[in-house]
Amino acid sequence: MTTGVRRRMEVEERRQQLIGVALELFSRRSPEEVSIDEIASAAGISRPLLYHYFPGKLSLYEAALKRASEDLAARFVEPEEGPLGARLLRVMRRFFDFVDDHGPGFSALMRSGPAVSAGSARSRDALSRTHALIDSVRQAAYVQILAHLRVQDPPARLELVIRSWISLAESTALLWLDGRRVPRGELEVQLVHDFGALVAVSAAYDADMAALLRGVLRDEPNDGPFSDLITRLVALAS
């Protein structure tokens, strides 16, 4: 009995090692450029032995994506203490840490996974699972932002603001990876400003959003990201 338990643990440990190796390779190059032989070689095992743990590269890629999506979702977890602007800035820095470390893998995740033959049922299932992973990351980020705002039953405009901002962060990161033409630190701050701007525009149309914005600004220090945004906008208008 003891031997059987130990053997099962070793199998799971090997699977986790292979996932880590694959994730590292997928982080440096697009999944289509990484061969199953390269993954096996990097893990120090034979190709047939790799197939003992995963039936193919697609299943291994899906497992790597799942681990990456869990890691990415965890980047949005932040203690609900201090001004909101500072909290969001820390979240954006961790988000871009992930993007920086997993460039090709992040692109593949956000663009719905590796190129596969769209005609097969297996490929359609894989694509569906990839979409579900992406949605789980977006939902985790959405729930975290609501928690930071201390809102349990969000009005429609607030949901629109948060989900639009999450999509904007994704798009910004993907564009940044294509050449990195804008300094990363500037984009991190800009995305926090974008969140404040989206809330402010919505507040102009909705009393609940206006009250929420006033609460956020009331807690914002003079050197915070939202105060910086206001200073920049006032300077433009003068």
Side-chain angles (χ1 to χ4, degrees):
M1 177 65 73
T2 303
T3 301
V5 171
R6 182 166 60 251
R7 183 160 55 249
R8 285 197 296 273
M9 288 180 64
E10 290 172 352
V11 166
E12 182 58 27
E13 287 169 359
R14 175 65 80 178
R15 281 178 55 86
Q16 293 305 315
Q17 180 216 10
L18 287 171
I19 291 170
V21 168
L23 185 57
E24 176 64 23
L25 292 172
F26 294 145
S27 296
R28 295 200 298 264
R29 303 203 310 280
S30 65
E32 293 77 23
E33 297 174 346
V34 179
S35 70
I36 198 74
D37 288 323
E38 186 176 358
I39 297 171
S41 176
I45 63 174
S46 67
R47 178 185 177 123
L49 184 56
L50 188 150
Y51 283 127
H52 174 71
Y53 298 100
F54 292 95
K57 189 174 81 168
L58 182 58
S59 63
L60 181 52
Y61 177 77
E62 288 180 22
L65 272 188
K66 186 174 186 300
R67 181 184 290 185
S69 68
E70 292 169 349
D71 182 5
L72 180 54
R75 304 296 173 112
F76 286 88
V77 178
E78 171 73 20
E80 298 169 25
E81 302 170 355
L84 178 65
R87 282 181 265 161
L88 290 181
L89 185 55
R90 288 192 292 270
V91 166
M92 284 297 96
R93 285 171 178 159
R94 288 197 300 271
F95 174 70
F96 270 90
D97 281 343
F98 180 94
V99 173
D100 213 359
D101 292 341
H102 301 84
F106 175 81
S107 296
L109 176 64
M110 291 299 114
R111 290 176 173 138
S112 301
V116 291
S117 173
S120 71
R122 183 170 175 234
S123 296
R124 288 194 297 271
D125 289 344
L127 194 58
S128 177
R129 287 191 293 272
T130 301
H131 285 154
L133 285 175
I134 297 169
D135 287 342
S136 71
V137 173
R138 291 169 178 156
Q139 183 62 21
Y142 173 74
V143 169
Q144 283 297 317
I145 300 304
L146 278 182
H148 285 297
L149 293 170
R150 296 180 175 84
V151 175
Q152 294 184 341
D153 187 17
R157 289 186 188 275
L158 179 56
E159 180 172 0
L160 179 62
V161 163
I162 298 175
R163 295 198 184 278
S164 297
W165 182 69
I166 292 169
S167 296
L168 178 61
E170 292 175 13
S171 300
T172 299
L174 287 171
L175 288 170
W176 177 73
L177 283 171
D178 186 16
R180 307 187 184 213
R181 292 170 291 174
V182 179
R184 169 185 153 173
E186 291 182 13
L187 285 182
E188 292 167 356
V189 175
Q190 182 178 317
L191 279 166
V192 178
H193 287 175
D194 288 334
F195 182 84
L198 286 169
V199 173
V201 170
S202 187
Y205 293 88
D206 185 273
D208 290 336
M209 292 298 294
L212 186 147
L213 178 62
R214 282 192 289 269
V216 168
L217 296 179
R218 184 171 55 247
D219 297 332
E220 180 74 359
N222 292 334
D223 61 349
F226 294 144
S227 296
D228 178 50
L229 172 60
I230 293 172
T231 299
R232 290 172 182 269
L233 292 177
V234 169
L236 285 175
S238 60

